[in-house]
Amino acid sequence: QFHRGRLLPQTTFHVGVLSETIEDIVISIVNEEQAVTDGVISSQAAMEKPLFDGMVLDMPTPWTQLPHIHRFLKTDRFAVCYLPSMSQVMDLVRACKVWPLLVEDIIEVDWRSWDVRSATVRDNNNIATSGEAQAGIEGAMVCRPTHTPVGHTAFLVKLRRLIAVPN
């Protein structure tokens, strides 16, 4: 779990194979909710209701986990998959056709360095040296992208769970 308090208690982080851990996660969450009412829900009842408003998957083959995503994601909510290659994105898009999951958006994440530093303030009458600027004279900041090549990091694929329509 993220323990700096910004996302607790709404967000938890888990490492492992989703198909092996999701049922335990769901049972523990539902039991925590039921503890307020002095009851413990059965594992079967916990497995029958969608629980998550959102999921983020950072794994090489998220399409193998679509049954678990679909099972526990609430209708009209999102799952986001982080994938480094377009071939993985294509595999995920193909697999989503079997499930009522809409591929809503695919975004490429780029890497671009920025130059952020304090600058020397100049006017017609006075020129502050960089030493004076560091000594406490309030100055301006330079904030601009560097002129180095942009690099690719990954793709974000946004999936929306739809209502299943019987055949």
Side-chain angles (χ1 to χ4, degrees):
Q1 287 186 348
F2 183 74
H3 290 289
R4 293 193 182 166
R6 292 186 191 144
L7 302 174
L8 286 174
Q10 294 83 7
T11 302
T12 58
F13 295 88
H14 300 276
V15 177
V17 178
L18 184 65
S19 59
E20 296 173 3
T21 59
I22 188 103
E23 291 186 6
D24 293 335
I25 295 167
V26 169
I27 290 169
S28 69
I29 291 170
V30 172
N31 283 338
E32 285 176 18
E33 290 175 356
Q34 292 296 319
V36 175
T37 61
D38 270 342
V40 175
I41 195 163
S42 72
S43 61
Q44 181 61 33
M47 296 302 112
E48 291 176 2
K49 80 174 204 178
L51 183 67
F52 297 108
D53 290 315
M55 299 174 111
V56 177
L57 301 177
D58 182 1
M59 60 179 60
T61 57
W63 52 90
T64 63
Q65 304 303 309
L66 290 181
H68 308 289
I69 294 170
H70 180 265
R71 184 174 177 189
F72 297 111
L73 189 63
K74 292 178 182 176
T75 301
D76 204 35
R77 297 298 181 207
F78 302 101
V80 176
C81 301
Y82 182 84
L83 299 166
S85 74
M86 182 50 72
S87 60
Q88 290 169 303
V89 171
M90 291 186 304
D91 288 340
L92 178 61
V93 170
R94 281 187 207 106
C96 284
K97 292 178 181 177
V98 177
W99 299 96
L101 291 166
L102 172 69
V103 178
E104 189 163 289
D105 208 358
I106 301 171
I107 301 168
E108 182 177 15
V109 180
D110 290 330
W111 181 276
R112 181 166 73 171
S113 296
W114 278 72
D115 179 18
V116 178
R117 58 185 164 82
S118 57
T120 303
V121 178
R122 300 176 189 197
D123 65 20
N124 292 339
N125 300 324
N126 219 350
I127 297 177
T129 66
S130 59
E132 290 172 330
Q134 292 173 357
I137 295 175
E138 189 173 327
M141 295 291 292
V142 172
C143 303
R144 64 176 172 236
T146 61
H147 298 290
T148 56
V150 175
H152 163 81
T153 59
F155 296 96
L156 292 176
V157 181
K158 181 179 170 186
L159 308 174
R160 182 189 295 264
R161 184 182 189 272
L162 303 174
I163 297 172
V165 178
N167 293 348

